Structure formats: structure tokens, C-alpha cells
Amino acid sequence: MNIARFTPLRISSAEQKFILNFSLLEHDLIHFFKIRDFDHAISRINKFREVHPINDVDVEILNQLLLGLIGSLTAASYTHNLNLNDFLKLRLYFFSFMKKSPCTSSSFWPLSNDIITTYFNLLDNFDFHVSYQNLSKQVALTAYYISAHPQELTNSHGVLHTLNLNNDYT
């Protein structure tokens, strides 16, 4: 078995501190996203900016943090809503955009705000919220599949067969 070997990143203590604090910010932003509280999300970003300068943070780290934020928002969107396909498209859009136009120290905060705003705007297009805590694993998996494959005309038996789920049980 091959085990990936990689060299630890050499990051300064200022960068380590920023990464840790941004991770905590990301946690808060995901919470505000789940409860659809845009105003608090933007307020939290603005407070963070005042306290945590990015002058000493390498732009590659800033790019990685934004890619992580995009991934987290996408994951939060489809674990709480039945609109997986649109959020996956949005994630791919931002990944592609950042590959073509990586952020800089001066564009990091405006891009962060654009990401948050765009995800919240897409969330507003959907007026329902699904709590997967009340659904069985089979029903949740089926809902994910249907959401991810809206272009496929299929019946329930075909979906359940594809997912290897028992038709009577599900």
C-alpha cells in the first residue's frame, strides 16, 4: 500500500494564527448560512477583518482558505436543502474562477463577501428547508440522488435500483 508522503508546510506563527481564526470564522459563517442569517454573517466577517490583518499571510494560504469556505458552504447547502445540483454548479463556478483569477491580499475580503453573498442569494431561491434528522438514511440518499440528477427522467424503482435500496423497505 502506498502512503502519500508530503512535506509539512512552512508557515509563520502569524499565518497559523490567521488560519485558526479563519477556521472559527468559517464555522460561524456556516451556522449563519444554515439559519439563513445573512446580516450576521456579513457583520461577523467585518468584525473579523478589523481584528485579523492579512498582511503577513501568503496568498496561497488565502486561496486555500477561500476554497475551503466554498466547499463548506456547498456541503452545508445540500445537507439542509434539496437543491444539490445548483450548489454544486456554484462550487464549480467559484473553483474555476479562482483557478483563473487567484485572490490577492487586496481582493481576499471582497471575494469573501462575494462568495457569501452569492451562496446566500442562491439559498434565497429555495423557500423550503429539509431536516434530514427526521428522514431515514434511505430517504435522504434518495433525495440527494434525485436532486443531483434532475435531468434524468426515471421512476422510483429505477432510482432505488441504482442506489441498491430495497423498494419495499424504502
Side-chain angles (χ1 to χ4, degrees):
M1 177 163 102
N2 292 331
I3 298 175
R5 297 181 194 271
F6 47 93
T7 307
L9 293 175
R10 297 188 189 272
I11 56 178
S12 69
S13 60
E15 289 171 327
Q16 289 176 13
K17 183 178 178 182
F18 187 85
I19 292 167
L20 173 63
N21 286 307
F22 190 85
S23 296
L24 296 172
L25 169 66
E26 183 178 322
H27 179 269
D28 291 349
L29 294 175
I30 298 306
H31 168 74
F32 293 131
F33 183 74
K34 288 177 182 177
I35 63 171
R36 299 175 179 224
D37 190 346
F38 177 75
D39 293 335
H40 278 101
I42 294 300
S43 174
R44 180 71 175 88
I45 288 175
N46 291 334
K47 286 178 185 174
F48 184 91
R49 288 177 64 176
E50 293 171 7
V51 179
H52 302 285
I54 60 171
N55 310 1
D56 300 328
V57 181
D58 184 80
V59 293
E60 180 58 31
I61 291 173
L62 297 176
N63 277 288
Q64 293 299 321
L65 291 172
L66 289 181
L67 291 172
L69 177 61
I70 292 164
S72 294
L73 286 167
T74 303
S77 70
Y78 63 77
T79 57
H80 292 278
N81 302 281
L82 291 178
N83 44 336
L84 171 66
N85 199 39
D86 291 330
F87 283 103
L88 289 175
K89 287 179 186 175
L90 183 57
R91 180 181 78 168
L92 291 174
Y93 165 79
F94 273 119
F95 280 4
S96 175
F97 174 83
M98 291 189 65
K99 186 176 183 180
K100 293 175 188 171
S101 308
C103 82
T104 63
S105 296
S106 61
S107 67
F108 179 77
W109 291 118
L111 189 51
S112 298
N113 281 340
D114 286 349
I115 290 167
I116 294 294
T117 302
T118 305
Y119 269 86
F120 269 89
N121 284 341
L122 184 56
L123 185 63
D124 287 343
N125 291 334
F126 302 96
D127 60 355
F128 59 89
H129 175 80
V130 175
S131 173
Y132 285 95
Q133 293 174 344
N134 299 328
L135 297 178
S136 70
K137 289 180 185 178
Q138 293 83 4
V139 172
L141 183 59
T142 303
Y144 282 145
Y145 181 85
I146 292 169
S147 177
H149 301 89
Q151 69 283 2
E152 294 178 16
L153 295 176
T154 187
N155 60 37
S156 61
H157 297 291
V159 171
L160 297 176
H161 178 73
T162 300
L163 298 173
N164 199 26
L165 297 174
N166 181 294
N167 187 43
D168 294 331
Y169 181 76
T170 304

